[in-house]
Amino acid sequence: MLALPLLDAMLPRTWGAPSQFKPWNRSHGPQPRMICCYIPNGVNILEWVPETTGKEYQLSKTLQVLEPHRADFTVLSGLGHPASQGGHSGADTWLTGANLQAVPGADYTNSVSMDQIVADLHGKHTRYGSLQLSDQSGTGSAGHSHTLSFDVNGTPLPAENSPQRLFERLFVPESAADKTATLRRLAEKKSILDSVREDAKRLEKTLGKRDRQKLDEYFTSIRTTEEQLSRMEAWIDRPKPEVPPTNLQLASQPGNAHDRPMWIDVMLELAYLAFLTDTTRVITFEWSREAGGFGGGGENHHEYSHHGGDAGMLAKLGQIDRFHLSKLDRFMNLLKSTTEADSHMLDQTIIVYGSGMNSGKGGEHSPKNLPLLVAGGKKLGLKHGQHLAFDSDKHPPLSNVLLSLAQKMGVESDRFSDATGTLTGLV
């Protein structure tokens, strides 16, 4: 059997031309977007990393799934998070690069994730500053987060795992009663924040220097929350985009092995629609939390990551890797099939795909030589069609990539986490 590329005729009828979605603002032209897609438990690194480098590299056995998009993505190998302890905390540090044990006496301390720095810039113009998606709702636990996103204080931002709830949040109009109830809740929260701020100011006068620094972080959280409430209030009377749920498998369950392929597809379809309607420009999507996950046939992904070098388990892990990449292939086809200005959506959309863990040759859970792809964003200045290989023993930080991508999204900063600069060759 030969697999056809995703043709316009295969798309649901509601996904024809962007002009069918109203109301939404396109007067300012196409905007940069970013989605960070996370796969847990690492990959079969032996079948993932290409043996050759540069523009003329040969795709590895696993990456051959993306052959039709060869000119639209870059393979990066040898990069990692030098400050990370590895293990099953990969999702916690993938977009932060933090040392979770850096603070003496604290069990867990994270820092701001790159996506939230980008969201702070673009969120002023969209209904939602960012979206957090995952196969588990909420935030999870320290070291086993259900989210990739962390605010300026390193606090995890809760994720959504239900396609139905996500669709309703993005596209279902609110009734007059719903709006009144929302405004009442926002007013109550503002009142609480005012009270908390006054109490905190009185307390501040009695504290030492270190505690005042902690309290300053607390005030920053309050200001961030106030800004979020103000944005929600400003958007309350703006109609949501009109997007019918036709052909969207909104009832798919992330924890159901049978539903798993459909669930990944529909969450990516909703991400596409959120971008298409400019509802948000920043999305993080944790396809499974660490120490969890399923393959396309319901295989236990976590179990195979502890392969111990077993050839059969490595082969199964490779199959799961190719299953995941087939979903990325479908999403890229969807973006490329949608015309935008003089190009298509993929050229204005940065995709970061990978894992915060390397299961290695023997099943070790290392934060070095992490599997990573960067796709799309050609109109934003990214170069593709190459394998950029680095010496993992020299600990080059993956944060260099994150800083480079944040800059291409418009962030005017030359610092992020432990980055030593931008990544030569990618930008």
Side-chain angles (χ1 to χ4, degrees), residues 11 69 91 124 173-174 191 241 314 333 346 366 387 417:
L11 296 176
H69 305 293
K124 303 176 181 68
E174 294 176 318
S191 177
L314 279 166
N333 278 327
L346 183 60
S366 169
H387 171 206
S417 189

Side-chain angles (χ1 to χ4, degrees), residues 48-62:
W48 173 280
V49 179
E51 294 182 358
T52 52
T53 62
K55 289 280 189 181
E56 304 302 322
Y57 81 101
Q58 305 250 333
L59 287 167
S60 64
K61 180 178 180 180
T62 294

